[in-house]
Amino acid sequence: MSDRIFNFSAGPAALPLPVLEKAQAELLNYNQTAGMSVMEMSHRCKEFDEILDHAKKGIKKHLNISDDYEVLFLQGGASMQFAMIPMNLYIPGKPVDMINTGAWTKKAFKEVKKLAEWNLAASTEEVNFSRLPHKDEIKLDSNASYVHLCSNNTIFGTQFKEFPNTGDVPLICDMSSDIFSRKIDVSQFGLIFAGAQKNIGPSGLAVVIIRKDLAERADESIPTMFQFRTHIQEGSRYNTPPTFGIYMVGLVMDWIESQGGLEGLEKHNQKKADILYQAINESGFYYCPVDEQDRSLMNVVFRVQGDKEALEKQMVQEAESKGLSGLKGHRSVGGLRASIYNAQPLEAVEALVSFMKDFEKKNG
Ligand SMILES: *Cc1c(COP(=O)(O)O)cnc(C)c1O
C-alpha cells in the first residue's frame, strides 16, 4: 500500500487502513456468506440486524454508555442536529444557553435563534476564538432548556479538557471532531452528537447518543423524521439508514478495540500532538495562535511567524508534492492545520515534523 499518502484533512478524514482493507475484502461478498455487498442488502435483513447491533454495541462499550441512553444512526450530518436539537429539546420559556467557541457553534447558534429563546452564556469571538472561555466567564442560567457546547473546535484548534458542570440542565455536546479520541464520562451529557467523517467512519452519517428521557420533551406535532422519539422507537430504521456507513462504524469500533480502547488511543493521540506542538514551540519560524492550555489534540493549527501568507501557501503545495496532504488551514483562519485524528499514524506526524524542519531551513 505504498501509494497511500498521509492525509491531514479535517474531514472527511483518514480512516484506519485495516478498516479499509476489511471493507475491501468484504465488498463483493459480505462475511463470505451473504453473497452480496452490505450496500446491496435490505436494511431489515438478519445480516444487517447484526451489523447495526455490532456497531451500536461497540459504541456503547468504548464510551461505557448506560442503558439510560440510546445510540442513534441518523442522516443530515452534524449540521442537521443544529436544528433537530432545539426542535426536540427546547422548552418554551426556558432559553437555550449557548457557549460560542467557533464556526461550528455559530452555525448551531443560527438555528437555535430561529427556533428558541437563547442566552449567550460565553463567547471568545473577540479574540478570534484563539482560546476557550475560562470557567468564571461562562454564565449559565439554571432555568435553561439545555446548554450547547462544542468539545473540539475543528477550525480554530481548541479543545475542552474539562466540561462545565451544568447541574440539572442537560449539557449537549457537538463531539464531531474528537469523539472516541479520549475517555469521557457520558453521564455528564444529555446528548452527544457527531458527524461520522472525522473519527468514526464515512460521511453521510451522524451518531447521536441521547438520554432517553430527553426525547420525550418533543412536541408530537414535529415532523416524524425530525423527532428523536421516532428513531428511538424504530431502532434507527424508521426509514432506510446509511447502511454502509453503519457497517464501517462497526469496523472502526473493532479497530478501536485493537488499539487498546480509548485508553490506548488517548495516549497515542497525546503523543502525536506533543511531538507536533513541541516542534512548533521550539522553532522560531512557526507559531501556534491558540492559548497553550486550550490546544486541540485533534486539529493542530499553526502559522509561519509574521503570518507570511505566500510562504504558507508554498508550504502547503510542497507538502502535497511530498505526500503530506490536506494541510491548508480553514479559509476563516488561514495558515496551516494538521488534523491528526485517531487513524493518523505516528509516522505521519513524524514525516510532517521532518518536512517542517526542512522547510524552515530553506526558507527561515
Ligand atoms: C465537521 C463538523 C461539523 C459538521 O459536520 P457535517 O456532518 O458536515 O454536518 C459540525 N461540528 C463540528 C465540530 C465539526 O467538526
Side-chain angles (χ1 to χ4, degrees):
M1 278 308 210
S2 58
D3 56 341
R4 279 181 60 83
I5 57 164
F6 290 130
N7 176 11
F8 291 93
S9 166
L15 282 165
L17 186 56
V19 166
L20 295 173
E21 285 170 339
K22 179 100 197 275
Q24 182 184 41
E26 294 188 331
L27 190 65
L28 300 184
N29 187 354
Y30 169 69
N31 211 12
Q32 305 311 322
T33 56
M36 62 174 111
S37 164
V38 173
M39 278 182 273
E40 301 167 296
M41 62 177 64
S42 163
H43 58 296
R44 304 198 189 276
C45 72
K46 186 171 86 30
E47 276 91 356
F48 191 74
D49 282 346
E50 285 166 13
I51 288 169
L52 190 140
D53 196 49
H54 179 70
K56 201 192 256 189
K57 279 206 175 105
I59 291 172
K60 289 188 85 167
K61 174 169 188 240
H62 292 311
L63 291 175
N64 196 17
I65 301 175
S66 83
D67 289 338
D68 295 342
Y69 292 78
E70 190 57 73
V71 175
L72 302 176
F73 299 104
L74 304 182
Q75 295 168 72
S79 299
M80 202 173 84
Q81 294 308 311
F82 297 161
M84 201 163 160
I85 290 165
M87 283 168 97
N88 283 264
L89 302 191
Y90 167 60
I91 300 169
K94 294 163 87 65
V96 174
D97 266 346
M98 296 293 305
I99 299 178
N100 184 24
T101 53
W104 292 116
T105 52
K106 280 174 88 169
K107 275 196 161 174
F109 205 5
K110 185 176 166 196
E111 304 309 305
V112 167
K113 282 179 170 173
K114 291 183 185 185
L115 294 158
E117 292 168 73
W118 51 276
N119 287 324
L120 185 60
S123 173
T124 50
E125 187 159 21
E126 78 282 359
V127 291
N128 198 29
F129 303 116
S130 60
R131 66 171 181 87
L132 295 169
H134 305 138
K135 259 195 191 139
D136 60 1
E137 292 173 324
I138 302 176
K139 306 282 179 234
L140 297 174
D141 178 351
S142 58
N143 182 46
S145 286
Y146 63 88
V147 180
H148 181 107
L149 167 130
C150 177
S151 55
N152 182 75
N153 300 282
T154 325
I155 292 174
F156 293 92
T158 58
Q159 183 177 30
F160 279 94
K161 305 286 174 333
E162 269 176 59
F163 297 100
N165 182 353
T166 57
D168 289 338
V169 177
L171 180 58
I172 308 301
C173 188
D174 178 356
M175 276 193 202
S176 293
S177 52
D178 70 347
I179 193 166
F180 295 107
S181 70
R182 56 178 170 174
K183 292 210 297 199
I184 52 159
D185 176 5
V186 171
S187 72
Q188 277 186 286
F189 301 93
L191 184 152
I192 293 169
F193 66 101
Q197 66 273 21
K198 279 119 189 184
N199 245 348
I200 335 181
S203 62
L205 170 69
V207 169
V208 173
I209 301 161
I210 180 172
R211 217 177 67 208
K212 287 177 204 163
D213 62 293
L214 293 177
E216 293 311 317
R217 285 188 179 185
D219 196 302
E220 303 263 3
S221 68
I222 295 171
T224 316
M225 264 297 275
F226 294 93
Q227 289 184 42
F228 289 121
R229 182 188 283 120
T230 304
H231 301 286
I232 293 175
Q233 279 164 5
E234 303 295 330
S236 296
R237 279 178 284 184
Y238 172 70
N239 70 328
T240 319
T243 52
F244 196 76
I246 294 169
Y247 158 73
M248 291 291 284
V249 170
L251 297 186
V252 170
M253 292 304 126
D254 294 343
W255 176 81
I256 290 176
E257 185 76 36
S258 77
Q259 302 300 298
L262 297 193
E263 207 163 311
L265 282 173
E266 190 171 335
K267 279 193 199 123
H268 191 237
N269 288 329
Q270 185 73 52
K271 187 169 174 191
K272 288 184 293 180
D274 284 348
I275 291 173
L276 194 43
Y277 282 120
Q278 194 184 343
I280 295 166
N281 290 351
E282 284 175 353
S283 96
F285 184 67
Y286 305 107
Y287 78 99
C288 172
V290 178
D291 276 18
E292 193 136 5
Q293 75 280 0
D294 295 330
R295 289 180 184 172
S296 167
L297 302 192
M298 296 282 103
N299 308 98
V300 177
V301 169
F302 63 102
R303 301 210 61 168
V304 169
Q305 293 278 2
D307 299 349
K308 298 203 176 87
E309 280 173 29
L311 211 49
E312 289 168 342
K313 199 171 159 201
Q314 183 192 332
M315 190 174 165
V316 170
Q317 280 167 357
E318 273 183 36
E320 192 87 46
S321 74
K322 293 190 160 59
L324 304 169
S325 166
L327 287 165
K328 190 173 183 294
H330 190 267
R331 58 190 185 280
S332 60
V333 187
L336 293 99
R337 170 177 53 174
S339 296
I340 50 173
Y341 301 118
N342 282 352
Q344 194 69 283
L346 188 61
E347 301 83 73
V349 175
E350 288 168 345
L352 174 59
V353 166
S354 151
F355 166 77
M356 285 165 66
K357 288 190 171 148
D358 281 351
F359 190 84
E360 175 176 353
K361 237 178 248 159
K362 281 187 222 135
N363 301 283

Tab-separated table of all heavy atoms in Angstrom, residues 67-97:
chain	number	residue	atom	x	y	z
A	67	ASP	N	-27.713	2.159	30.034
A	67	ASP	CA	-28.971	1.917	29.328
A	67	ASP	C	-29.946	3.085	29.415
A	67	ASP	O	-31.026	3.050	28.820
A	67	ASP	CB	-29.633	0.628	29.850
A	67	ASP	CG	-28.858	-0.617	29.417
A	67	ASP	OD1	-28.111	-0.519	28.407
A	67	ASP	OD2	-28.959	-1.659	30.093
A	68	ASP	N	-29.561	4.134	30.149
A	68	ASP	CA	-30.395	5.345	30.152
A	68	ASP	C	-30.306	6.086	28.819
A	68	ASP	O	-31.090	6.992	28.547
A	68	ASP	CB	-29.929	6.330	31.242
A	68	ASP	CG	-30.112	5.765	32.633
A	68	ASP	OD1	-30.894	4.802	32.773
A	68	ASP	OD2	-29.475	6.271	33.571
A	69	TYR	N	-29.332	5.689	28.012
A	69	TYR	CA	-29.084	6.393	26.738
A	69	TYR	C	-29.396	5.483	25.556
A	69	TYR	O	-29.307	4.264	25.656
A	69	TYR	CB	-27.610	6.818	26.629
A	69	TYR	CG	-27.206	7.890	27.614
A	69	TYR	CD1	-26.944	7.571	28.948
A	69	TYR	CD2	-27.095	9.211	27.214
A	69	TYR	CE1	-26.576	8.548	29.855
A	69	TYR	CE2	-26.720	10.198	28.109
A	69	TYR	CZ	-26.471	9.866	29.437
A	69	TYR	OH	-26.106	10.837	30.328
A	70	GLU	N	-29.721	6.114	24.442
A	70	GLU	CA	-29.885	5.372	23.193
A	70	GLU	C	-28.857	5.891	22.194
A	70	GLU	O	-28.544	7.078	22.177
A	70	GLU	CB	-31.303	5.581	22.652
A	70	GLU	CG	-31.672	4.675	21.490
A	70	GLU	CD	-31.533	3.184	21.805
A	70	GLU	OE1	-32.370	2.639	22.559
A	70	GLU	OE2	-30.574	2.574	21.293
A	71	VAL	N	-28.313	4.981	21.394
A	71	VAL	CA	-27.382	5.357	20.331
A	71	VAL	C	-28.155	5.335	19.015
A	71	VAL	O	-28.759	4.314	18.674
A	71	VAL	CB	-26.196	4.364	20.262
A	71	VAL	CG1	-25.290	4.690	19.081
A	71	VAL	CG2	-25.408	4.370	21.571
A	72	LEU	N	-28.139	6.457	18.309
A	72	LEU	CA	-28.890	6.555	17.051
A	72	LEU	C	-27.958	6.801	15.866
A	72	LEU	O	-26.952	7.496	15.997
A	72	LEU	CB	-29.901	7.707	17.126
A	72	LEU	CG	-30.930	7.651	18.252
A	72	LEU	CD1	-31.791	8.919	18.247
A	72	LEU	CD2	-31.821	6.411	18.122
A	73	PHE	N	-28.331	6.226	14.728
A	73	PHE	CA	-27.605	6.473	13.482
A	73	PHE	C	-28.537	7.287	12.580
A	73	PHE	O	-29.542	6.763	12.111
A	73	PHE	CB	-27.234	5.151	12.807
A	73	PHE	CG	-26.333	4.287	13.662
A	73	PHE	CD1	-26.845	3.183	14.329
A	73	PHE	CD2	-24.986	4.603	13.813
A	73	PHE	CE1	-26.021	2.384	15.120
A	73	PHE	CE2	-24.153	3.816	14.600
A	73	PHE	CZ	-24.669	2.707	15.259
A	74	LEU	N	-28.201	8.550	12.377
A	74	LEU	CA	-29.096	9.435	11.635
A	74	LEU	C	-28.401	10.026	10.417
A	74	LEU	O	-27.191	9.900	10.254
A	74	LEU	CB	-29.595	10.559	12.555
A	74	LEU	CG	-30.287	10.104	13.856
A	74	LEU	CD1	-30.760	11.312	14.644
A	74	LEU	CD2	-31.460	9.174	13.574
A	75	GLN	N	-29.184	10.680	9.591
A	75	GLN	CA	-28.636	11.333	8.404
A	75	GLN	C	-28.627	12.852	8.604
A	75	GLN	O	-29.051	13.347	9.634
A	75	GLN	CB	-29.460	10.913	7.183
A	75	GLN	CG	-29.301	9.418	6.940
A	75	GLN	CD	-30.287	8.867	5.945
A	75	GLN	OE1	-30.188	9.129	4.757
A	75	GLN	NE2	-31.232	8.092	6.428
A	76	GLY	N	-28.114	13.551	7.613
A	76	GLY	CA	-28.082	15.007	7.710
A	76	GLY	C	-26.843	15.532	8.414
A	76	GLY	O	-26.719	16.743	8.636
A	77	GLY	N	-25.918	14.655	8.760
A	77	GLY	CA	-24.655	15.083	9.369
A	77	GLY	C	-24.841	15.730	10.722
A	77	GLY	O	-25.943	15.726	11.286
A	78	ALA	N	-23.756	16.304	11.213
A	78	ALA	CA	-23.841	17.025	12.481
A	78	ALA	C	-24.707	18.266	12.298
A	78	ALA	O	-25.427	18.678	13.211
A	78	ALA	CB	-22.447	17.415	12.957
A	79	SER	N	-24.684	18.833	11.105
A	79	SER	CA	-25.386	20.108	10.879
A	79	SER	C	-26.893	19.987	11.070
A	79	SER	O	-27.536	20.936	11.515
A	79	SER	CB	-25.082	20.632	9.478
A	79	SER	OG	-23.695	20.855	9.340
A	80	MET	N	-27.469	18.848	10.731
A	80	MET	CA	-28.910	18.727	10.940
A	80	MET	C	-29.241	18.715	12.431
A	80	MET	O	-30.312	19.166	12.840
A	80	MET	CB	-29.497	17.499	10.258
A	80	MET	CG	-30.990	17.683	10.036
A	80	MET	SD	-31.704	16.382	9.075
A	80	MET	CE	-31.977	15.178	10.348
A	81	GLN	N	-28.303	18.241	13.234
A	81	GLN	CA	-28.525	18.247	14.680
A	81	GLN	C	-28.625	19.677	15.227
A	81	GLN	O	-29.252	19.906	16.259
A	81	GLN	CB	-27.416	17.473	15.396
A	81	GLN	CG	-27.418	15.979	15.077
A	81	GLN	CD	-28.780	15.361	15.303
A	81	GLN	OE1	-29.402	15.553	16.352
A	81	GLN	NE2	-29.274	14.651	14.300
A	82	PHE	N	-27.983	20.628	14.550
A	82	PHE	CA	-28.066	22.020	14.998
A	82	PHE	C	-29.529	22.471	15.071
A	82	PHE	O	-29.890	23.296	15.899
A	82	PHE	CB	-27.296	22.960	14.052
A	82	PHE	CG	-25.815	22.716	13.986
A	82	PHE	CD1	-25.072	23.191	12.913
A	82	PHE	CD2	-25.149	22.014	14.996
A	82	PHE	CE1	-23.696	22.985	12.842
A	82	PHE	CE2	-23.773	21.798	14.935
A	82	PHE	CZ	-23.053	22.286	13.856
A	83	ALA	N	-30.362	21.927	14.165
A	83	ALA	CA	-31.792	22.271	14.173
A	83	ALA	C	-32.619	21.248	14.958
A	83	ALA	O	-33.535	21.594	15.695
A	83	ALA	CB	-32.301	22.351	12.736
A	84	MET	N	-32.267	19.979	14.793
A	84	MET	CA	-33.070	18.914	15.400
A	84	MET	C	-33.035	19.019	16.936
A	84	MET	O	-34.040	18.740	17.599
A	84	MET	CB	-32.519	17.568	14.933
A	84	MET	CG	-33.490	16.430	15.057
A	84	MET	SD	-32.930	15.030	14.052
A	84	MET	CE	-33.845	13.704	14.844
A	85	ILE	N	-31.906	19.434	17.474
A	85	ILE	CA	-31.793	19.518	18.938
A	85	ILE	C	-32.735	20.584	19.515
A	85	ILE	O	-33.543	20.267	20.388
A	85	ILE	CB	-30.317	19.678	19.358
A	85	ILE	CG1	-29.588	18.347	19.075
A	85	ILE	CG2	-30.188	20.051	20.833
A	85	ILE	CD1	-28.080	18.437	19.081
A	86	PRO	N	-32.681	21.826	19.038
A	86	PRO	CA	-33.672	22.779	19.577
A	86	PRO	C	-35.120	22.380	19.269
A	86	PRO	O	-36.016	22.600	20.095
A	86	PRO	CB	-33.304	24.122	18.927
A	86	PRO	CG	-32.333	23.825	17.844
A	86	PRO	CD	-31.693	22.514	18.171
A	87	MET	N	-35.363	21.777	18.120
A	87	MET	CA	-36.733	21.340	17.804
A	87	MET	C	-37.259	20.376	18.872
A	87	MET	O	-38.432	20.391	19.227
A	87	MET	CB	-36.773	20.618	16.444
A	87	MET	CG	-36.724	21.533	15.245
A	87	MET	SD	-36.412	20.578	13.733
A	87	MET	CE	-38.072	20.399	13.122
A	88	ASN	N	-36.392	19.534	19.367
A	88	ASN	CA	-36.806	18.476	20.301
A	88	ASN	C	-36.611	18.824	21.772
A	88	ASN	O	-37.352	18.344	22.618
A	88	ASN	CB	-36.022	17.191	20.019
A	88	ASN	CG	-36.531	16.429	18.807
A	88	ASN	OD1	-37.315	15.511	18.928
A	88	ASN	ND2	-36.101	16.851	17.623
A	89	LEU	N	-35.588	19.619	22.070
A	89	LEU	CA	-35.209	19.773	23.485
A	89	LEU	C	-35.522	21.142	24.082
A	89	LEU	O	-35.399	21.324	25.293
A	89	LEU	CB	-33.711	19.467	23.683
A	89	LEU	CG	-33.223	18.077	23.258
A	89	LEU	CD1	-31.806	17.840	23.754
A	89	LEU	CD2	-34.131	16.970	23.768
A	90	TYR	N	-35.910	22.084	23.247
A	90	TYR	CA	-36.247	23.407	23.777
A	90	TYR	C	-37.615	23.357	24.456
A	90	TYR	O	-38.578	22.836	23.890
A	90	TYR	CB	-36.257	24.440	22.637
A	90	TYR	CG	-36.884	25.752	23.017
A	90	TYR	CD1	-36.361	26.528	24.057
A	90	TYR	CD2	-38.018	26.227	22.335
A	90	TYR	CE1	-36.943	27.731	24.411
A	90	TYR	CE2	-38.601	27.442	22.677
A	90	TYR	CZ	-38.065	28.191	23.715
A	90	TYR	OH	-38.642	29.379	24.064
A	91	ILE	N	-37.641	23.908	25.662
A	91	ILE	CA	-38.919	24.015	26.384
A	91	ILE	C	-39.293	25.501	26.403
A	91	ILE	O	-38.513	26.317	26.916
A	91	ILE	CB	-38.772	23.488	27.831
A	91	ILE	CG1	-38.349	22.009	27.812
A	91	ILE	CG2	-40.065	23.681	28.615
A	91	ILE	CD1	-37.930	21.466	29.176
A	92	PRO	N	-40.442	25.874	25.831
A	92	PRO	CA	-40.817	27.298	25.792
A	92	PRO	C	-40.716	27.945	27.174
A	92	PRO	O	-41.106	27.339	28.181
A	92	PRO	CB	-42.253	27.275	25.267
A	92	PRO	CG	-42.316	26.027	24.442
A	92	PRO	CD	-41.430	25.028	25.143
A	93	GLY	N	-40.130	29.138	27.196
A	93	GLY	CA	-39.951	29.855	28.466
A	93	GLY	C	-38.610	29.555	29.118
A	93	GLY	O	-38.229	30.209	30.086
A	94	LYS	N	-37.934	28.534	28.615
A	94	LYS	CA	-36.614	28.175	29.171
A	94	LYS	C	-35.571	28.308	28.055
A	94	LYS	O	-35.517	27.471	27.158
A	94	LYS	CB	-36.642	26.737	29.730
A	94	LYS	CG	-37.555	26.581	30.949
A	94	LYS	CD	-37.902	25.125	31.230
A	94	LYS	CE	-36.904	24.392	32.089
A	94	LYS	NZ	-36.763	24.876	33.468
A	95	PRO	N	-34.781	29.371	28.106
A	95	PRO	CA	-33.865	29.648	26.991
A	95	PRO	C	-32.770	28.591	26.838
A	95	PRO	O	-32.496	27.821	27.753
A	95	PRO	CB	-33.261	31.001	27.353
A	95	PRO	CG	-33.452	31.143	28.818
A	95	PRO	CD	-34.682	30.374	29.173
A	96	VAL	N	-32.164	28.600	25.668
A	96	VAL	CA	-31.014	27.717	25.390
A	96	VAL	C	-29.744	28.510	25.696
A	96	VAL	O	-29.580	29.627	25.222
A	96	VAL	CB	-31.026	27.273	23.909
A	96	VAL	CG1	-29.764	26.487	23.576
A	96	VAL	CG2	-32.278	26.466	23.603
A	97	ASP	N	-28.870	27.943	26.489
A	97	ASP	CA	-27.576	28.581	26.786
A	97	ASP	C	-26.552	28.147	25.743
A	97	ASP	O	-26.303	26.945	25.579
A	97	ASP	CB	-27.074	28.127	28.169
A	97	ASP	CG	-27.470	29.089	29.273
A	97	ASP	OD1	-27.901	30.220	28.959
A	97	ASP	OD2	-27.340	28.706	30.450
